[in-house]
Amino acid sequence: RPHTQTARANAPLSVVDGDDRCASVLRRLARMSRDDARRRRHRASSRVVSTTVYSKAAACFIVALFAVIARAQRLPTYVQPPYLQSISPDTGHVVGGTTVTIYGGGFQNHAGLAARFAYYDSSTGTAEVDVVRATYVDYGTIRVVTPPRKFAASVHVTVTNNGIGYSTTPLNTDDAGTYALFEYKSNAPAGSWTVKNATGHAFGGAVVEITNPSHTTSTRSTDNNFLPGVHLRCRFGNPSDASATTTLTIGTATKTAEHPWFGRGGNIGYTVTSNRLNGGSAMEGPSFILRRGTTYTFTVSSTGHPFYLSSVEPSMWEKKQHANGHAHDGDR
């Protein structure tokens, strides 16, 4: 302080006093130097720790980001497409439902195993493409149920193991790959047929065989005989063609043994009367064919008794209902 320095200015100084004061100053300087070095080391350590933490976090974020991108851009596992050799039968009706067997190789029991039915007519601009599940049989065999179609035409059939890579591209018949052709038809059976075992008992039960001797010379495109499928039927009875009849009358009557629901439900069942059936006489629970694209009129002559239209044969009604988990015991 100024006054202290002034007060001691006149005092005589000794060597000892000067040494003590220098030593004190040196100790203070040394202490300050150590404190300063300690602070610098602490700050440097903090910076290193922070940098390390930030560097590790950034590295983890970058790794996670690349993992997400890799998953998003990951391509499906490559599955070798099969090759086709033949299809049997190679003809069916446009209503579909024909079980065909496709032969070839490289078929895999994969969830994506499927067949593609493709058609295109450049003259009319009409096209149809359907993909249906296939049933794996073995390495060289699969089975497929044909889908329904709007047009009768020859369609291009290809197969895929995984739903992505097909045996060839759609409608391709020139480049690499394999395919099969399936003929869709809509015409009624026609031909010169021979019936074996043409007689039988009135109670039925006789097994008959209908063949066409010229069938062996026909081709997939020219064969107008029977088409395989679940809808193939043979009618025994009135040979007159009543397919043009479009009116049917629904009535009621006491059930007899001819009714498919006889002995179950109520005593009253429905009847159908039409020139299409039994020469115009009423029938109980009949089966009949309706032509695609035709409008039919059903007239109900008695109220209070529901009737049902079903694509299932009467003999299968009970099995169908049990499969659906319910059954109706009302009038039918």
Side-chain angles (χ1 to χ4, degrees), residues 290-296:
L290 301 180
R291 180 176 296 177
R292 181 193 297 252
T294 302
T295 301
Y296 295 88

Side-chain angles (χ1 to χ4, degrees), residues 218-239:
S218 61
T219 65
R220 174 174 52 86
S221 299
T222 61
D223 187 0
N224 291 320
N225 289 281
F226 316 116
L227 298 176
V230 295
H231 302 286
L232 182 63
R233 300 285 188 273
C234 183
R235 182 177 62 193
F236 292 82
N238 188 355

